[in-house]
Amino acid sequence: MATYVLVPGAGGGAWYWRLLVPELQARGHEAIAVDLPAADESAGLTEYADTVVEAIGNRTGVILVAQSMGGLTAPLVCTRVPVALLVLLNAMVPSPGETGGAWWTNTGQAQAMAEQAAREGRPVPAEFDPEDIFFHDVAPEVTAEVLARGEQSQSQKPFDDPWPLKAWPNTPTVFLQGRDDRLFPLPFQRRVVQERLDIPVNEMPGGHLVALSRPKELADRLEEYRIRNIGSNVS
């Protein structure tokens, strides 16, 4: 049995992984979805990492999966507890000393998002439209369930914190990107990940919220990475 620890993106809700968790459990593994203190205005990257470390406890051989903004937190965890494999999923990749707030301008995310919309023949909304950006490939009933929860709070503090590591941790790292992601388009992620991590970007169908739109396919891909990087006998 392997242990998957799942770190969400902005909003910090373990609920994001609700469809992936049973898929991993059905394959015989432990799956821990972490709730981050996203609504706490005093909680920054250190507190986010503390929360994940606490969830891991004394487990070893952990496979850490980090979605979107979770890419700021997960590497910090890798310096504190044994992590066998880090999987970045549609994730932000920070540079040493960079804040999460500066990341957007430094990487050229807004231009990349607009260029992707133009390539696909989509208009760019005058205001950010979560349903258009995040839920375009999520089943209507799942979208309705998520939207019924209301907007999830996300404090500014972790975006203001300079990323504290001097270099990426020495943890095997895999990057998986949804090829239909409208927030972080695939060509954009290929460039950023090449510049900052110098590793390949793997792709799968799906948008930014692939754990909601394609949980079975995502579980299959995570299992593939586990076997390839760790081996089939994980306990």
Side-chain angles (χ1 to χ4, degrees):
M1 180 181 73
T3 297
Y4 286 91
V5 176
L6 311 173
V7 182
W15 61 265
Y16 169 68
W17 304 105
R18 60 177 296 275
L19 301 181
L20 180 65
V21 166
E23 291 288 345
L24 294 172
Q25 291 173 336
R27 290 160 173 77
H29 303 304
E30 182 181 26
I32 301 171
V34 181
D35 254 324
L36 296 176
D40 185 347
E41 295 292 341
S42 67
L45 293 180
T46 297
E47 288 74 23
Y48 281 40
D50 289 344
T51 302
V52 180
V53 169
E54 182 178 357
I56 292 173
N58 60 2
R59 296 173 180 85
T60 59
V62 164
I63 301 160
L64 191 61
V65 183
Q67 158 78 19
S68 194
M69 179 191 168
L72 304 180
T73 299
L76 310 184
V77 176
C78 293
T79 67
R80 295 175 52 183
V81 295
V83 174
L85 178 67
L86 171 59
V87 181
L88 298 172
L89 178 62
N90 295 340
M92 299 171 69
V93 177
S95 288
E98 181 180 57
T99 65
W103 178 92
W104 304 84
T105 300
N106 292 348
T107 60
Q109 180 274 339
Q111 180 179 347
M113 186 170 67
E115 290 172 350
Q116 184 68 20
R119 282 192 292 269
E120 296 176 356
R122 293 184 288 107
V124 178
E127 296 183 0
F128 191 86
D129 182 351
E131 291 190 51
D132 178 72
I133 298 299
F134 294 137
F135 293 97
H136 59 95
D137 67 327
V138 177
E141 63 273 16
V142 177
T143 299
E145 179 185 355
V146 174
L147 295 180
R149 298 176 59 90
E151 185 175 355
Q152 304 302 300
S153 297
Q154 176 57 64
S155 75
Q156 183 62 30
K157 180 69 166 64
F159 288 104
D160 292 338
D161 286 348
W163 197 64
L165 301 185
K166 294 182 178 180
W168 200 260
N170 189 27
T171 300
T173 302
V174 174
F175 200 103
L176 178 59
Q177 179 66 31
R179 70 171 66 105
D180 308 306
D181 191 340
R182 294 180 176 179
L183 183 68
F184 301 157
L186 179 60
F188 163 78
Q189 290 286 55
R190 289 196 187 282
R191 172 178 58 80
V192 172
V193 174
Q194 175 64 37
E195 292 172 353
R196 296 184 171 206
L197 294 182
D198 193 24
I199 62 174
V201 170
N202 301 310
E203 62 181 87
M204 66 173 287
H208 195 65
L209 305 181
V210 290
L212 291 176
S213 63
R214 296 175 180 267
K216 183 180 185 302
E217 292 175 56
L218 177 55
D220 289 341
R221 189 62 70 93
L222 293 176
E223 283 287 83
E224 175 187 328
Y225 295 146
R226 177 183 66 83
I227 293 170
R228 182 189 306 166
N229 289 274
I230 303 173
S232 58
N233 297 320
V234 177
S235 59

